[in-house]
Amino acid sequence: MATAKTKRQPMTRQRVLSAALELADEIGATDLTIRRLADALESKPMTIYHHVPSKDEILDGIVDLVFAEIDLPDSELDWKPAVRARCVSARHVLTRHSWAVPLMESRRSPGPATLRHHDAVVACLRGGLSLTMTGHAYATLDAFVFGFAIQEAALPEPGDEMAEVAAEIVTDELAETFPALHEFAVERAMQPGYDFGDEFEYGLDLILDALAERSRRD
Amino acid sequence: MATAKTKRQPMTRQRVLSAALELADEIGATDLTIRRLADALESKPMTIYHHVPSKDEILDGIVDLVFAEIDLPDSELDWKPAVRARCVSARHVLTRHSWAVPLMESRRSPGPATLRHHDAVVACLRGGLSLTMTGHAYATLDAFVFGFAIQEAALPEPGDEMAEVAAEIVTDELAETFPALHEFAVERAMQPGYDFGDEFEYGLDLILDALAERSRRD
DNA sequence: TGACGTTTCGTACTATGTACGATCAGGTGG
DNA sequence: CCACCTGATCGTACATAGTACGAAACGTCA
């Protein structure tokens, strides 16, 4: 009889966190439970607790892993293209791990990757902007990037049956109740070429250009 | 013996929702449980379920109540001041109910107040902007407003002891690890006059001005 | 081999959402 | 005034969550 059973990897904090990240991507953060995580690791709940003190710390850990996936700004470039690239990267990462967006709010303790990331962005901004403008830029850009990720995460998946049914209901029923919404939905949002995701780069460039303009004027 | 016992109000969906909203303001949305809600209503868990089908619907309901608190844009005004005022109002509301921000993401079914609100904003924008610009403006502004609310909610409360301890640790320990962050924290964020909340109006006006400018040019 | 520190995990406690059915109150027809 | 009916209330119970406790299994060095 072949020893088909693959040898069990040693359990470590790292392995717990990557498994948790993978599981969160599959089933979402709200359905991530210790028991399911233990199953995914072919282990038992209380084994996990030997390597990680609490579920909260697991959540902190995977949020930090998500941050680690965001490209740092390229220090060779000027602040504007460098920050632009990191914002685009951040959006891709947050789209890929859309469960992470609301978590980033409730987590109070930033992990090392999070801190390193913020440090790199601030450094990049400081390369071309005053201290004051750096504050304006970072607050505005990050609000936009995370906020956009929220909006996008709330959107129904393409192919979601409920959404398609809803679309028809909207068309018929809300035409007179919410005319402006109805007009926008029919004439713009549901038009073939429209992709909400494209609004991201529009807004990003709008903000970046305006920041550069104001920086030039002071 | 005085009948000190105040007569019990009749339980209704409205009463359940307002009590839930109040309780969420006190203890946060994650700690809001049916049993605690029942206690607040001087009732029992299963009584609540006679007026509301599930906890999820309670959450949907209080999110809609929060939306209802946001001032609608004044249709007398030009789009820019009108939308500006509603963004400022939205931020105040979201600050007051900071537990609501992450919920607005996960909730899939917008309530009537939410729809009415969106309709009014779109109508206001359409008063001065093209259909395309309306999409750009709404996506960008709402991403910014909600994103800012997230950032603000993640900030430690003023007076939070942990934050003050952290501040000293940051100063000493991270000075060489994260120099840019350290510089920004010490030279700007921790300066007496600095209030992160002020970045909101800066970013808001930056975006509004840029939108107006681009609209003028097309 | 035996002793000991680490890792694993069985059991169990508490808290949660909520299903089911019993109870109760208050109005209605006799 | 009473029997009855309908809807509101709630007691009990179950499945699932996080995780504390202590026992068992394992690896290592003497």
Side-chain angles (χ1 to χ4, degrees):
Chain A
M1 160 168 110
T3 61
K5 186 172 294 189
T6 50
K7 167 153 290 173
R8 193 156 22 179
Q9 301 278 121
M11 182 83 63
T12 65
R13 179 190 161 92
Q14 299 311 318
R15 223 166 74 82
V16 169
L17 292 184
S18 9
L21 179 63
E22 198 177 340
L23 195 54
D25 284 341
E26 279 171 32
I27 65 179
T30 49
D31 288 347
L32 174 65
T33 72
I34 295 290
R35 286 168 226 261
R36 265 198 267 273
L37 181 55
D39 284 348
L41 287 162
E42 297 181 54
S43 179
K44 306 287 147 139
M46 292 320 289
T47 302
I48 291 174
Y49 281 99
H50 194 80
H51 301 271
V52 153
S54 69
K55 187 182 176 183
D56 266 2
E57 189 141 323
I58 295 178
L59 294 179
D60 283 343
I62 60 179
V63 164
D64 204 49
L65 285 180
V66 169
F67 256 103
E69 287 183 27
I70 304 176
D71 292 339
L72 296 181
D74 184 344
S75 56
E76 303 291 304
L77 295 175
D78 199 24
W79 72 269
K80 207 170 134 184
V83 166
R84 185 183 197 284
R86 98 92 209 197
C87 288
V88 169
S89 169
R91 185 210 157 203
H92 285 146
V93 169
L94 294 178
T95 304
R96 188 160 58 239
H97 308 292
S98 60
W99 49 265
V101 182
L103 272 192
M104 294 178 158
E105 184 268 353
S106 48
R107 306 290 98 196
R108 277 274 191 280
S109 54
T114 306
L115 289 173
R116 184 152 34 91
H117 182 88
H118 286 143
D119 186 67
V121 174
V122 170
C124 175
L125 291 170
R126 284 294 284 128
L129 300 175
S130 70
L131 209 48
T132 303
M133 277 304 296
T134 294
H136 295 331
Y138 206 15
T140 305
L141 283 168
D142 256 27
F144 173 74
V145 170
F146 282 93
F148 198 90
I150 285 195
Q151 317 269 137
E152 236 177 349
L155 248 47
E157 299 291 313
D160 185 331
E161 52 160 288
M162 204 179 73
E164 286 166 27
V165 173
E168 294 178 21
I169 293 174
V170 163
T171 307
D172 294 345
E173 189 172 330
L174 303 191
E176 71 267 17
T177 320
F178 301 118
L181 218 45
H182 175 256
E183 182 213 27
F184 185 79
V186 171
E187 304 290 328
R188 177 91 178 123
M190 298 169 73
Q191 269 334 279
Y194 187 79
D195 177 2
F196 179 76
D198 294 343
E199 303 286 9
F200 179 76
E201 306 220 347
Y202 184 94
L204 179 59
D205 286 324
L206 180 103
I207 293 171
L208 285 170
D209 289 349
L211 285 168
E213 173 64 23
R214 295 209 177 185
S215 171
R216 198 175 310 122
R217 276 209 303 255
D218 65 22
Chain B
M1 161 169 107
T3 61
K5 186 170 294 185
T6 51
K7 167 153 290 170
R8 189 156 24 178
Q9 301 278 121
M11 182 83 61
T12 65
R13 180 188 160 93
Q14 299 312 316
R15 222 165 76 81
V16 169
L17 292 184
S18 8
L21 179 62
E22 197 177 340
L23 195 54
D25 284 341
E26 280 172 31
I27 66 179
T30 48
D31 288 347
L32 174 63
T33 73
I34 295 290
R35 286 168 225 261
R36 264 198 268 273
L37 181 54
D39 284 348
L41 287 161
E42 296 182 59
S43 178
K44 305 289 146 142
M46 291 320 290
T47 302
I48 290 173
Y49 280 101
H50 197 253
H51 302 270
V52 154
S54 70
K55 187 182 177 184
D56 265 2
E57 189 141 324
I58 295 177
L59 295 179
D60 283 342
I62 60 179
V63 164
D64 204 50
L65 285 179
V66 170
F67 255 103
E69 287 184 27
I70 304 176
D71 292 339
L72 296 181
D74 183 344
S75 56
E76 303 291 303
L77 296 175
D78 198 23
W79 73 268
K80 207 171 136 183
V83 166
R84 186 183 197 282
R86 97 91 209 197
C87 288
V88 169
S89 170
R91 185 210 158 203
H92 284 146
V93 169
L94 293 178
T95 305
R96 189 159 59 239
H97 308 292
S98 61
W99 48 266
V101 183
L103 272 192
M104 293 178 159
E105 184 270 351
S106 47
R107 305 289 99 197
R108 278 274 190 279
S109 54
T114 307
L115 288 172
R116 184 153 34 90
H117 182 87
H118 285 143
D119 185 68
V121 175
V122 170
C124 175
L125 291 170
R126 283 295 282 129
L129 300 176
S130 69
L131 209 49
T132 304
M133 276 306 295
T134 294
H136 294 330
Y138 207 15
T140 305
L141 284 168
D142 256 27
F144 173 74
V145 170
F146 282 93
F148 198 91
I150 285 195
Q151 318 269 135
E152 235 178 349
L155 247 48
E157 299 290 313
D160 185 331
E161 53 160 285
M162 204 178 75
E164 286 166 28
V165 173
E168 293 180 20
I169 293 174
V170 163
T171 308
D172 294 345
E173 188 172 331
L174 304 192
E176 70 267 17
T177 321
F178 301 118
L181 217 46
H182 177 257
E183 181 213 29
F184 185 79
V186 171
E187 303 289 329
R188 176 91 178 122
M190 297 170 74
Q191 278 320 289
Y194 186 79
D195 178 1
F196 179 75
D198 295 342
E199 303 287 9
F200 180 76
E201 304 220 348
Y202 184 93
L204 178 58
D205 286 323
L206 180 102
I207 293 171
L208 285 169
D209 289 349
L211 285 169
E213 172 65 21
R214 295 211 177 184
S215 171
R216 198 176 309 123
R217 275 209 302 255
D218 64 22

